[in-house]
Amino acid sequence: MSADPTSRLRILYRHYGGDNDKPRPEYYSKMLALASMLRAVEALDVEPEIVYINDAVSPGPILSLMEQTGEVVPVRGGSDAKSYRAMIDREVARPASPDQFLWFSEDDYLYRRDALQLLTSGLAALPGADYVTMYGSRSLDVASSGPRAVSFAPGGAEGDPGAAITVDGVQWYRAFASTSTYGTRLGTLREDRRLLVLCANSGGPWDRTTSQVLAGYRPFGLAELREDVLPRGSVSAADRGKGLARAAMRVAVTARSLRRQSRRRTLFAADPELISHMEVHDSTTRTVPSAQSAATDWAAIAAETVNWAEGRGIAVTSRVS
């Protein structure tokens, strides 16, 4: 992936002032997530641009730290998809080099100290990458994929070790999907803006849907679409209407996956994972991590981050604000 050497890395950190009821590890807090990102920024040779995209954020320690370390942009989102769309629209309208590299981050990830260093060093060795991610271990089996994407059974670079590109000890491999924490060039974002916004309206795990459509794979099968149109059991008229609207959107999204070969995007991921989604991981929240990723002691990285933060007067105690 070529990036403009004269432009700085730009980090778009999307933060919601509330929280959800997902099961989390004991060390989780949104302040810890923010501190870990700033710790990774400190390790870079060139200071990046940091922009905080804030939805429903009240005054407090997190907002104060954001105001000290970057540009704060309030948005009226109301949902994950809405704040994401607002961020995308704002970025594509910004006058800047199309080769500037953008890193989009959600607010519940824990970063290794060297995560952004390894990301930037890896980019130069990935000329064929349109998108990159530092989380997730599900690898794409390109040879076996047809209209629907197929993943390898072993996670990470283990699925196709001969195809992985190793840079500074990190193996970069073709990934099956990404969350909405990922990186790309501004020019690519501009070209894909309509598709990114459309996919964010498709409901469910729309970030995975986005990855599939960008790569030219059908995100939904007939059985999934039929369930929206003809749900099992009795449903209210309102729910039936929502199902029909969702089905219409998903049909439109699926149609957009029929892309010319030249328009199909490639996604690469890091093995081991360089960031961790701070959820209690089981079969309902993620696929099995690669062996390298499973060996990472994220609790220890959380403790290191707390020590780093406390040394700079940052109290990592607040779960949300």
mmCIF file of all heavy atoms in Angstrom, residues 167-218:
data_model
loop_
_atom_site.group_PDB
_atom_site.id
_atom_site.type_symbol
_atom_site.label_atom_id
_atom_site.label_comp_id
_atom_site.label_asym_id
_atom_site.label_seq_id
_atom_site.Cartn_x
_atom_site.Cartn_y
_atom_site.Cartn_z
ATOM 1 N N VAL A 167 7.126 -8.921 8.063
ATOM 2 C CA VAL A 167 7.842 -7.661 8.258
ATOM 3 C C VAL A 167 8.016 -7.457 9.762
ATOM 4 O O VAL A 167 7.033 -7.408 10.506
ATOM 5 C CB VAL A 167 7.075 -6.460 7.666
ATOM 6 C CG1 VAL A 167 7.896 -5.181 7.814
ATOM 7 C CG2 VAL A 167 6.710 -6.705 6.210
ATOM 8 N N ASP A 168 9.267 -7.349 10.204
ATOM 9 C CA ASP A 168 9.563 -7.100 11.622
ATOM 10 C C ASP A 168 8.868 -8.100 12.543
ATOM 11 O O ASP A 168 8.331 -7.734 13.605
ATOM 12 C CB ASP A 168 9.169 -5.670 12.010
ATOM 13 C CG ASP A 168 10.014 -4.621 11.303
ATOM 14 O OD1 ASP A 168 11.147 -4.952 10.890
ATOM 15 O OD2 ASP A 168 9.541 -3.477 11.157
ATOM 16 N N GLY A 169 8.836 -9.349 12.130
ATOM 17 C CA GLY A 169 8.269 -10.392 12.966
ATOM 18 C C GLY A 169 6.768 -10.553 12.879
ATOM 19 O O GLY A 169 6.191 -11.441 13.521
ATOM 20 N N VAL A 170 6.096 -9.703 12.101
ATOM 21 C CA VAL A 170 4.641 -9.784 11.925
ATOM 22 C C VAL A 170 4.343 -10.380 10.557
ATOM 23 O O VAL A 170 4.908 -9.942 9.551
ATOM 24 C CB VAL A 170 3.975 -8.399 12.051
ATOM 25 C CG1 VAL A 170 2.475 -8.495 11.785
ATOM 26 C CG2 VAL A 170 4.236 -7.817 13.433
ATOM 27 N N GLN A 171 3.462 -11.367 10.517
ATOM 28 C CA GLN A 171 3.040 -11.974 9.258
ATOM 29 C C GLN A 171 1.725 -11.332 8.813
ATOM 30 O O GLN A 171 0.721 -11.377 9.532
ATOM 31 C CB GLN A 171 2.861 -13.483 9.427
ATOM 32 C CG GLN A 171 4.162 -14.233 9.676
ATOM 33 C CD GLN A 171 3.911 -15.721 9.838
ATOM 34 O OE1 GLN A 171 3.410 -16.185 10.864
ATOM 35 N NE2 GLN A 171 4.248 -16.482 8.810
ATOM 36 N N TRP A 172 1.751 -10.746 7.626
ATOM 37 C CA TRP A 172 0.561 -10.115 7.066
ATOM 38 C C TRP A 172 -0.059 -11.069 6.048
ATOM 39 O O TRP A 172 0.610 -11.549 5.135
ATOM 40 C CB TRP A 172 0.920 -8.789 6.405
ATOM 41 C CG TRP A 172 1.419 -7.780 7.394
ATOM 42 C CD1 TRP A 172 2.714 -7.555 7.759
ATOM 43 C CD2 TRP A 172 0.629 -6.869 8.162
ATOM 44 N NE1 TRP A 172 2.787 -6.563 8.701
ATOM 45 C CE2 TRP A 172 1.522 -6.110 8.976
ATOM 46 C CE3 TRP A 172 -0.744 -6.597 8.239
ATOM 47 C CZ2 TRP A 172 1.078 -5.126 9.852
ATOM 48 C CZ3 TRP A 172 -1.186 -5.610 9.105
ATOM 49 C CH2 TRP A 172 -0.283 -4.883 9.899
ATOM 50 N N TYR A 173 -1.343 -11.357 6.208
ATOM 51 C CA TYR A 173 -2.011 -12.367 5.386
ATOM 52 C C TYR A 173 -3.355 -11.840 4.892
ATOM 53 O O TYR A 173 -3.899 -10.870 5.434
ATOM 54 C CB TYR A 173 -2.220 -13.651 6.206
ATOM 55 C CG TYR A 173 -3.161 -13.450 7.379
ATOM 56 C CD1 TYR A 173 -4.523 -13.704 7.252
ATOM 57 C CD2 TYR A 173 -2.698 -12.971 8.601
ATOM 58 C CE1 TYR A 173 -5.394 -13.492 8.311
ATOM 59 C CE2 TYR A 173 -3.560 -12.750 9.668
ATOM 60 C CZ TYR A 173 -4.903 -13.020 9.509
ATOM 61 O OH TYR A 173 -5.777 -12.791 10.547
ATOM 62 N N ARG A 174 -3.896 -12.467 3.847
ATOM 63 C CA ARG A 174 -5.201 -12.090 3.314
ATOM 64 C C ARG A 174 -6.279 -12.452 4.323
ATOM 65 O O ARG A 174 -6.420 -13.600 4.721
ATOM 66 C CB ARG A 174 -5.466 -12.801 1.981
ATOM 67 C CG ARG A 174 -4.663 -12.284 0.807
ATOM 68 C CD ARG A 174 -5.139 -10.908 0.347
ATOM 69 N NE ARG A 174 -6.536 -10.897 -0.085
ATOM 70 C CZ ARG A 174 -6.954 -11.239 -1.301
ATOM 71 N NH1 ARG A 174 -6.074 -11.616 -2.220
ATOM 72 N NH2 ARG A 174 -8.238 -11.184 -1.605
ATOM 73 N N ALA A 175 -7.043 -11.469 4.745
ATOM 74 C CA ALA A 175 -8.029 -11.666 5.804
ATOM 75 C C ALA A 175 -9.431 -11.849 5.239
ATOM 76 O O ALA A 175 -9.780 -11.314 4.188
ATOM 77 C CB ALA A 175 -8.000 -10.487 6.771
ATOM 78 N N PHE A 176 -10.242 -12.572 5.992
ATOM 79 C CA PHE A 176 -11.623 -12.866 5.616
ATOM 80 C C PHE A 176 -12.521 -11.651 5.846
ATOM 81 O O PHE A 176 -13.416 -11.365 5.053
ATOM 82 C CB PHE A 176 -12.120 -14.050 6.449
ATOM 83 C CG PHE A 176 -13.530 -14.483 6.159
ATOM 84 C CD1 PHE A 176 -13.797 -15.371 5.131
ATOM 85 C CD2 PHE A 176 -14.584 -14.021 6.930
ATOM 86 C CE1 PHE A 176 -15.105 -15.791 4.868
ATOM 87 C CE2 PHE A 176 -15.889 -14.418 6.676
ATOM 88 C CZ PHE A 176 -16.151 -15.317 5.647
ATOM 89 N N ALA A 177 -12.297 -10.940 6.943
ATOM 90 C CA ALA A 177 -13.145 -9.796 7.281
ATOM 91 C C ALA A 177 -12.452 -8.945 8.326
ATOM 92 O O ALA A 177 -11.445 -9.342 8.918
ATOM 93 C CB ALA A 177 -14.510 -10.267 7.805
ATOM 94 N N SER A 178 -13.012 -7.781 8.557
ATOM 95 C CA SER A 178 -12.492 -6.855 9.557
ATOM 96 C C SER A 178 -13.653 -6.263 10.345
ATOM 97 O O SER A 178 -14.796 -6.239 9.884
ATOM 98 C CB SER A 178 -11.707 -5.722 8.873
ATOM 99 O OG SER A 178 -11.376 -4.697 9.787
ATOM 100 N N THR A 179 -13.353 -5.791 11.541
ATOM 101 C CA THR A 179 -14.310 -4.947 12.243
ATOM 102 C C THR A 179 -14.219 -3.555 11.620
ATOM 103 O O THR A 179 -13.538 -3.355 10.615
ATOM 104 C CB THR A 179 -13.969 -4.890 13.746
ATOM 105 O OG1 THR A 179 -12.683 -4.272 13.894
ATOM 106 C CG2 THR A 179 -13.936 -6.286 14.362
ATOM 107 N N SER A 180 -14.865 -2.564 12.239
ATOM 108 C CA SER A 180 -14.737 -1.213 11.696
ATOM 109 C C SER A 180 -13.539 -0.478 12.293
ATOM 110 O O SER A 180 -13.464 0.758 12.248
ATOM 111 C CB SER A 180 -16.032 -0.405 11.901
ATOM 112 O OG SER A 180 -16.496 -0.480 13.227
ATOM 113 N N THR A 181 -12.585 -1.237 12.820
ATOM 114 C CA THR A 181 -11.269 -0.715 13.187
ATOM 115 C C THR A 181 -10.291 -1.218 12.132
ATOM 116 O O THR A 181 -9.953 -2.407 12.099
ATOM 117 C CB THR A 181 -10.866 -1.182 14.596
ATOM 118 O OG1 THR A 181 -11.732 -0.536 15.553
ATOM 119 C CG2 THR A 181 -9.428 -0.843 14.925
ATOM 120 N N TYR A 182 -9.884 -0.333 11.233
ATOM 121 C CA TYR A 182 -9.086 -0.723 10.069
ATOM 122 C C TYR A 182 -8.367 0.493 9.516
ATOM 123 O O TYR A 182 -8.575 1.629 9.953
ATOM 124 C CB TYR A 182 -9.977 -1.341 8.991
ATOM 125 C CG TYR A 182 -10.985 -0.374 8.392
ATOM 126 C CD1 TYR A 182 -10.643 0.454 7.324
ATOM 127 C CD2 TYR A 182 -12.280 -0.297 8.887
ATOM 128 C CE1 TYR A 182 -11.554 1.345 6.780
ATOM 129 C CE2 TYR A 182 -13.206 0.599 8.354
ATOM 130 C CZ TYR A 182 -12.843 1.412 7.302
ATOM 131 O OH TYR A 182 -13.755 2.299 6.771
ATOM 132 N N GLY A 183 -7.519 0.260 8.510
ATOM 133 C CA GLY A 183 -6.806 1.353 7.869
ATOM 134 C C GLY A 183 -6.906 1.298 6.358
ATOM 135 O O GLY A 183 -7.059 0.215 5.776
ATOM 136 N N THR A 184 -6.832 2.466 5.723
ATOM 137 C CA THR A 184 -6.833 2.550 4.264
ATOM 138 C C THR A 184 -6.327 3.924 3.846
ATOM 139 O O THR A 184 -6.156 4.820 4.678
ATOM 140 C CB THR A 184 -8.240 2.307 3.686
ATOM 141 O OG1 THR A 184 -8.158 2.156 2.264
ATOM 142 C CG2 THR A 184 -9.185 3.469 3.997
ATOM 143 N N ARG A 185 -6.077 4.105 2.556
ATOM 144 C CA ARG A 185 -5.698 5.401 2.008
ATOM 145 C C ARG A 185 -6.943 6.269 1.823
ATOM 146 O O ARG A 185 -8.048 5.761 1.606
ATOM 147 C CB ARG A 185 -5.009 5.231 0.657
ATOM 148 C CG ARG A 185 -3.664 4.571 0.704
ATOM 149 C CD ARG A 185 -3.202 4.163 -0.696
ATOM 150 N NE ARG A 185 -3.248 5.268 -1.643
ATOM 151 C CZ ARG A 185 -4.167 5.435 -2.587
ATOM 152 N NH1 ARG A 185 -5.150 4.558 -2.729
ATOM 153 N NH2 ARG A 185 -4.107 6.453 -3.414
ATOM 154 N N LEU A 186 -6.754 7.575 1.911
ATOM 155 C CA LEU A 186 -7.870 8.495 1.724
ATOM 156 C C LEU A 186 -8.460 8.343 0.326
ATOM 157 O O LEU A 186 -9.686 8.406 0.148
ATOM 158 C CB LEU A 186 -7.402 9.939 1.956
ATOM 159 C CG LEU A 186 -8.449 11.038 1.739
ATOM 160 C CD1 LEU A 186 -9.676 10.818 2.609
ATOM 161 C CD2 LEU A 186 -7.839 12.416 2.021
ATOM 162 N N GLY A 187 -7.620 8.108 -0.679
ATOM 163 C CA GLY A 187 -8.133 7.931 -2.037
ATOM 164 C C GLY A 187 -9.038 6.720 -2.155
ATOM 165 O O GLY A 187 -10.074 6.769 -2.837
ATOM 166 N N THR A 188 -8.675 5.632 -1.510
ATOM 167 C CA THR A 188 -9.515 4.428 -1.518
ATOM 168 C C THR A 188 -10.834 4.701 -0.812
ATOM 169 O O THR A 188 -11.902 4.277 -1.259
ATOM 170 C CB THR A 188 -8.779 3.262 -0.834
ATOM 171 O OG1 THR A 188 -7.534 3.042 -1.505
ATOM 172 C CG2 THR A 188 -9.606 1.988 -0.871
ATOM 173 N N LEU A 189 -10.760 5.416 0.308
ATOM 174 C CA LEU A 189 -11.979 5.750 1.049
ATOM 175 C C LEU A 189 -12.916 6.580 0.180
ATOM 176 O O LEU A 189 -14.134 6.345 0.178
ATOM 177 C CB LEU A 189 -11.613 6.529 2.312
ATOM 178 C CG LEU A 189 -12.748 6.750 3.307
ATOM 179 C CD1 LEU A 189 -13.013 5.478 4.095
ATOM 180 C CD2 LEU A 189 -12.427 7.901 4.261
ATOM 181 N N ARG A 190 -12.378 7.516 -0.565
ATOM 182 C CA ARG A 190 -13.218 8.347 -1.436
ATOM 183 C C ARG A 190 -13.896 7.496 -2.506
ATOM 184 O O ARG A 190 -15.083 7.662 -2.792
ATOM 185 C CB ARG A 190 -12.372 9.441 -2.081
ATOM 186 C CG ARG A 190 -11.969 10.565 -1.127
ATOM 187 C CD ARG A 190 -10.942 11.491 -1.756
ATOM 188 N NE ARG A 190 -10.621 12.625 -0.884
ATOM 189 C CZ ARG A 190 -9.519 13.343 -0.984
ATOM 190 N NH1 ARG A 190 -8.625 13.067 -1.943
ATOM 191 N NH2 ARG A 190 -9.305 14.343 -0.163
ATOM 192 N N GLU A 191 -13.140 6.572 -3.095
ATOM 193 C CA GLU A 191 -13.703 5.725 -4.140
ATOM 194 C C GLU A 191 -14.789 4.796 -3.604
ATOM 195 O O GLU A 191 -15.759 4.492 -4.304
ATOM 196 C CB GLU A 191 -12.591 4.897 -4.785
ATOM 197 C CG GLU A 191 -11.599 5.712 -5.597
ATOM 198 C CD GLU A 191 -10.445 4.863 -6.113
ATOM 199 O OE1 GLU A 191 -10.516 3.621 -5.981
ATOM 200 O OE2 GLU A 191 -9.473 5.446 -6.633
ATOM 201 N N ASP A 192 -14.636 4.355 -2.352
ATOM 202 C CA ASP A 192 -15.549 3.351 -1.785
ATOM 203 C C ASP A 192 -16.616 3.965 -0.894
ATOM 204 O O ASP A 192 -17.409 3.227 -0.297
ATOM 205 C CB ASP A 192 -14.751 2.323 -0.975
ATOM 206 C CG ASP A 192 -13.861 1.462 -1.849
ATOM 207 O OD1 ASP A 192 -14.082 1.433 -3.077
ATOM 208 O OD2 ASP A 192 -12.954 0.810 -1.309
ATOM 209 N N ARG A 193 -16.668 5.275 -0.801
ATOM 210 C CA ARG A 193 -17.549 5.926 0.174
ATOM 211 C C ARG A 193 -19.002 5.452 0.068
ATOM 212 O O ARG A 193 -19.633 5.102 1.071
ATOM 213 C CB ARG A 193 -17.453 7.452 -0.003
ATOM 214 C CG ARG A 193 -18.338 8.252 0.950
ATOM 215 C CD ARG A 193 -19.583 8.768 0.239
ATOM 216 N NE ARG A 193 -20.554 9.271 1.167
ATOM 217 C CZ ARG A 193 -21.828 9.468 0.862
ATOM 218 N NH1 ARG A 193 -22.276 9.211 -0.367
ATOM 219 N NH2 ARG A 193 -22.673 9.912 1.761
ATOM 220 N N ARG A 194 -19.567 5.448 -1.118
ATOM 221 C CA ARG A 194 -20.982 5.055 -1.257
ATOM 222 C C ARG A 194 -21.217 3.637 -0.791
ATOM 223 O O ARG A 194 -22.225 3.340 -0.124
ATOM 224 C CB ARG A 194 -21.427 5.220 -2.710
ATOM 225 C CG ARG A 194 -21.536 6.669 -3.171
ATOM 226 C CD ARG A 194 -22.095 6.749 -4.584
ATOM 227 N NE ARG A 194 -22.213 8.121 -5.027
ATOM 228 C CZ ARG A 194 -22.664 8.482 -6.218
ATOM 229 N NH1 ARG A 194 -23.069 7.551 -7.084
ATOM 230 N NH2 ARG A 194 -22.734 9.760 -6.545
ATOM 231 N N LEU A 195 -20.303 2.758 -1.107
ATOM 232 C CA LEU A 195 -20.453 1.361 -0.709
ATOM 233 C C LEU A 195 -20.297 1.198 0.803
ATOM 234 O O LEU A 195 -21.037 0.442 1.437
ATOM 235 C CB LEU A 195 -19.425 0.507 -1.445
ATOM 236 C CG LEU A 195 -19.607 -1.020 -1.372
ATOM 237 C CD1 LEU A 195 -21.003 -1.412 -1.794
ATOM 238 C CD2 LEU A 195 -18.574 -1.694 -2.265
ATOM 239 N N LEU A 196 -19.356 1.918 1.391
ATOM 240 C CA LEU A 196 -19.164 1.850 2.840
ATOM 241 C C LEU A 196 -20.417 2.312 3.579
ATOM 242 O O LEU A 196 -20.841 1.701 4.564
ATOM 243 C CB LEU A 196 -17.968 2.710 3.248
ATOM 244 C CG LEU A 196 -16.594 2.222 2.773
ATOM 245 C CD1 LEU A 196 -15.544 3.319 2.977
ATOM 246 C CD2 LEU A 196 -16.178 0.960 3.496
ATOM 247 N N VAL A 197 -21.009 3.396 3.114
ATOM 248 C CA VAL A 197 -22.215 3.929 3.748
ATOM 249 C C VAL A 197 -23.383 2.974 3.547
ATOM 250 O O VAL A 197 -24.174 2.727 4.469
ATOM 251 C CB VAL A 197 -22.533 5.328 3.189
ATOM 252 C CG1 VAL A 197 -23.909 5.799 3.647
ATOM 253 C CG2 VAL A 197 -21.472 6.328 3.627
ATOM 254 N N LEU A 198 -23.515 2.413 2.352
ATOM 255 C CA LEU A 198 -24.603 1.472 2.079
ATOM 256 C C LEU A 198 -24.517 0.254 2.990
ATOM 257 O O LEU A 198 -25.514 -0.162 3.598
ATOM 258 C CB LEU A 198 -24.558 1.036 0.611
ATOM 259 C CG LEU A 198 -25.642 0.052 0.156
ATOM 260 C CD1 LEU A 198 -27.006 0.722 0.170
ATOM 261 C CD2 LEU A 198 -25.324 -0.483 -1.243
ATOM 262 N N CYS A 199 -23.331 -0.315 3.121
ATOM 263 C CA CYS A 199 -23.168 -1.510 3.944
ATOM 264 C C CYS A 199 -23.460 -1.231 5.410
ATOM 265 O O CYS A 199 -23.966 -2.102 6.130
ATOM 266 C CB CYS A 199 -21.758 -2.071 3.785
ATOM 267 S SG CYS A 199 -21.437 -2.825 2.173
ATOM 268 N N ALA A 200 -23.141 -0.039 5.873
ATOM 269 C CA ALA A 200 -23.393 0.314 7.268
ATOM 270 C C ALA A 200 -24.885 0.375 7.584
ATOM 271 O O ALA A 200 -25.278 0.361 8.761
ATOM 272 C CB ALA A 200 -22.739 1.647 7.609
ATOM 273 N N ASN A 201 -25.728 0.420 6.541
ATOM 274 C CA ASN A 201 -27.180 0.435 6.723
ATOM 275 C C ASN A 201 -27.803 -0.954 6.665
ATOM 276 O O ASN A 201 -29.025 -1.079 6.739
ATOM 277 C CB ASN A 201 -27.830 1.309 5.639
ATOM 278 C CG ASN A 201 -27.562 2.778 5.830
ATOM 279 O OD1 ASN A 201 -27.496 3.265 6.948
ATOM 280 N ND2 ASN A 201 -27.396 3.500 4.734
ATOM 281 N N SER A 202 -26.985 -2.006 6.530
ATOM 282 C CA SER A 202 -27.523 -3.350 6.275
ATOM 283 C C SER A 202 -27.887 -4.122 7.528
ATOM 284 O O SER A 202 -28.425 -5.222 7.447
ATOM 285 C CB SER A 202 -26.517 -4.163 5.442
ATOM 286 O OG SER A 202 -25.310 -4.353 6.157
ATOM 287 N N GLY A 203 -27.607 -3.569 8.710
ATOM 288 C CA GLY A 203 -27.965 -4.238 9.950
ATOM 289 C C GLY A 203 -27.046 -5.390 10.292
ATOM 290 O O GLY A 203 -26.204 -5.807 9.493
ATOM 291 N N GLY A 204 -27.211 -5.925 11.500
ATOM 292 C CA GLY A 204 -26.395 -7.062 11.922
ATOM 293 C C GLY A 204 -24.917 -6.701 11.956
ATOM 294 O O GLY A 204 -24.551 -5.538 12.167
ATOM 295 N N PRO A 205 -24.049 -7.676 11.745
ATOM 296 C CA PRO A 205 -22.602 -7.399 11.731
ATOM 297 C C PRO A 205 -22.186 -6.726 10.424
ATOM 298 O O PRO A 205 -21.545 -7.317 9.551
ATOM 299 C CB PRO A 205 -21.984 -8.788 11.884
ATOM 300 C CG PRO A 205 -22.981 -9.716 11.302
ATOM 301 C CD PRO A 205 -24.337 -9.117 11.603
ATOM 302 N N TRP A 206 -22.550 -5.454 10.287
ATOM 303 C CA TRP A 206 -22.364 -4.755 9.013
ATOM 304 C C TRP A 206 -20.894 -4.547 8.674
ATOM 305 O O TRP A 206 -20.555 -4.353 7.500
ATOM 306 C CB TRP A 206 -23.109 -3.432 9.004
ATOM 307 C CG TRP A 206 -22.793 -2.509 10.137
ATOM 308 C CD1 TRP A 206 -23.476 -2.390 11.310
ATOM 309 C CD2 TRP A 206 -21.717 -1.570 10.217
ATOM 310 N NE1 TRP A 206 -22.893 -1.436 12.112
ATOM 311 C CE2 TRP A 206 -21.805 -0.917 11.472
ATOM 312 C CE3 TRP A 206 -20.683 -1.204 9.344
ATOM 313 C CZ2 TRP A 206 -20.907 0.068 11.880
ATOM 314 C CZ3 TRP A 206 -19.772 -0.224 9.740
ATOM 315 C CH2 TRP A 206 -19.896 0.396 10.995
ATOM 316 N N ASP A 207 -20.012 -4.580 9.669
ATOM 317 C CA ASP A 207 -18.590 -4.444 9.352
ATOM 318 C C ASP A 207 -18.079 -5.654 8.579
ATOM 319 O O ASP A 207 -17.325 -5.527 7.616
ATOM 320 C CB ASP A 207 -17.761 -4.202 10.621
ATOM 321 C CG ASP A 207 -18.172 -5.073 11.796
ATOM 322 O OD1 ASP A 207 -18.951 -6.036 11.604
ATOM 323 O OD2 ASP A 207 -17.715 -4.800 12.912
ATOM 324 N N ARG A 208 -18.537 -6.844 8.977
ATOM 325 C CA ARG A 208 -18.168 -8.044 8.221
ATOM 326 C C ARG A 208 -18.785 -8.005 6.821
ATOM 327 O O ARG A 208 -18.134 -8.370 5.832
ATOM 328 C CB ARG A 208 -18.639 -9.299 8.969
ATOM 329 C CG ARG A 208 -18.197 -10.610 8.306
ATOM 330 C CD ARG A 208 -18.714 -11.800 9.080
ATOM 331 N NE ARG A 208 -20.164 -11.877 9.056
ATOM 332 C CZ ARG A 208 -20.884 -12.706 9.828
ATOM 333 N NH1 ARG A 208 -20.269 -13.485 10.711
ATOM 334 N NH2 ARG A 208 -22.195 -12.734 9.738
ATOM 335 N N THR A 209 -20.029 -7.558 6.743
ATOM 336 C CA THR A 209 -20.683 -7.411 5.443
ATOM 337 C C THR A 209 -19.865 -6.498 4.532
ATOM 338 O O THR A 209 -19.651 -6.789 3.352
ATOM 339 C CB THR A 209 -22.095 -6.829 5.625
ATOM 340 O OG1 THR A 209 -22.886 -7.743 6.379
ATOM 341 C CG2 THR A 209 -22.761 -6.559 4.284
ATOM 342 N N THR A 210 -19.384 -5.394 5.088
ATOM 343 C CA THR A 210 -18.583 -4.440 4.316
ATOM 344 C C THR A 210 -17.353 -5.111 3.729
ATOM 345 O O THR A 210 -17.039 -4.942 2.540
ATOM 346 C CB THR A 210 -18.156 -3.265 5.213
ATOM 347 O OG1 THR A 210 -19.322 -2.612 5.732
ATOM 348 C CG2 THR A 210 -17.327 -2.257 4.430
ATOM 349 N N SER A 211 -16.643 -5.877 4.548
ATOM 350 C CA SER A 211 -15.433 -6.558 4.077
ATOM 351 C C SER A 211 -15.744 -7.494 2.915
ATOM 352 O O SER A 211 -14.998 -7.548 1.928
ATOM 353 C CB SER A 211 -14.799 -7.353 5.223
ATOM 354 O OG SER A 211 -14.453 -6.530 6.306
ATOM 355 N N GLN A 212 -16.837 -8.241 3.031
ATOM 356 C CA GLN A 212 -17.191 -9.205 1.998
ATOM 357 C C GLN A 212 -17.552 -8.514 0.681
ATOM 358 O O GLN A 212 -17.102 -8.922 -0.396
ATOM 359 C CB GLN A 212 -18.372 -10.056 2.472
ATOM 360 C CG GLN A 212 -18.117 -10.825 3.753
ATOM 361 C CD GLN A 212 -17.067 -11.892 3.582
ATOM 362 O OE1 GLN A 212 -17.334 -12.945 3.028
ATOM 363 N NE2 GLN A 212 -15.868 -11.624 4.040
ATOM 364 N N VAL A 213 -18.345 -7.458 0.779
ATOM 365 C CA VAL A 213 -18.791 -6.763 -0.433
ATOM 366 C C VAL A 213 -17.617 -6.078 -1.131
ATOM 367 O O VAL A 213 -17.484 -6.130 -2.359
ATOM 368 C CB VAL A 213 -19.896 -5.747 -0.084
ATOM 369 C CG1 VAL A 213 -20.258 -4.908 -1.306
ATOM 370 C CG2 VAL A 213 -21.130 -6.476 0.435
ATOM 371 N N LEU A 214 -16.752 -5.437 -0.363
ATOM 372 C CA LEU A 214 -15.593 -4.779 -0.958
ATOM 373 C C LEU A 214 -14.715 -5.763 -1.717
ATOM 374 O O LEU A 214 -14.134 -5.424 -2.757
ATOM 375 C CB LEU A 214 -14.761 -4.101 0.133
ATOM 376 C CG LEU A 214 -15.331 -2.822 0.742
ATOM 377 C CD1 LEU A 214 -14.519 -2.403 1.953
ATOM 378 C CD2 LEU A 214 -15.361 -1.686 -0.285
ATOM 379 N N ALA A 215 -14.619 -6.993 -1.202
ATOM 380 C CA ALA A 215 -13.780 -8.005 -1.842
ATOM 381 C C ALA A 215 -14.481 -8.717 -2.990
ATOM 382 O O ALA A 215 -13.867 -9.537 -3.683
ATOM 383 C CB ALA A 215 -13.325 -9.035 -0.806
ATOM 384 N N GLY A 216 -15.769 -8.420 -3.210
ATOM 385 C CA GLY A 216 -16.498 -9.022 -4.322
ATOM 386 C C GLY A 216 -17.176 -10.333 -3.989
ATOM 387 O O GLY A 216 -17.475 -11.125 -4.890
ATOM 388 N N TYR A 217 -17.459 -10.576 -2.701
ATOM 389 C CA TYR A 217 -18.141 -11.802 -2.283
ATOM 390 C C TYR A 217 -19.544 -11.474 -1.781
ATOM 391 O O TYR A 217 -19.774 -10.426 -1.167
ATOM 392 C CB TYR A 217 -17.362 -12.506 -1.170
ATOM 393 C CG TYR A 217 -15.985 -12.958 -1.585
ATOM 394 C CD1 TYR A 217 -14.850 -12.388 -1.007
ATOM 395 C CD2 TYR A 217 -15.810 -13.942 -2.547
ATOM 396 C CE1 TYR A 217 -13.574 -12.791 -1.388
ATOM 397 C CE2 TYR A 217 -14.545 -14.354 -2.929
ATOM 398 C CZ TYR A 217 -13.432 -13.770 -2.345
ATOM 399 O OH TYR A 217 -12.174 -14.165 -2.722
ATOM 400 N N ARG A 218 -20.483 -12.401 -2.049
ATOM 401 C CA ARG A 218 -21.859 -12.200 -1.595
ATOM 402 C C ARG A 218 -21.924 -12.300 -0.074
ATOM 403 O O ARG A 218 -21.537 -13.311 0.499
ATOM 404 C CB ARG A 218 -22.786 -13.255 -2.202
ATOM 405 C CG ARG A 218 -23.124 -13.058 -3.650
ATOM 406 C CD ARG A 218 -24.480 -13.688 -3.996
ATOM 407 N NE ARG A 218 -24.637 -15.022 -3.439
ATOM 408 C CZ ARG A 218 -24.540 -16.153 -4.127
ATOM 409 N NH1 ARG A 218 -24.260 -16.118 -5.413
ATOM 410 N NH2 ARG A 218 -24.718 -17.319 -3.553
#
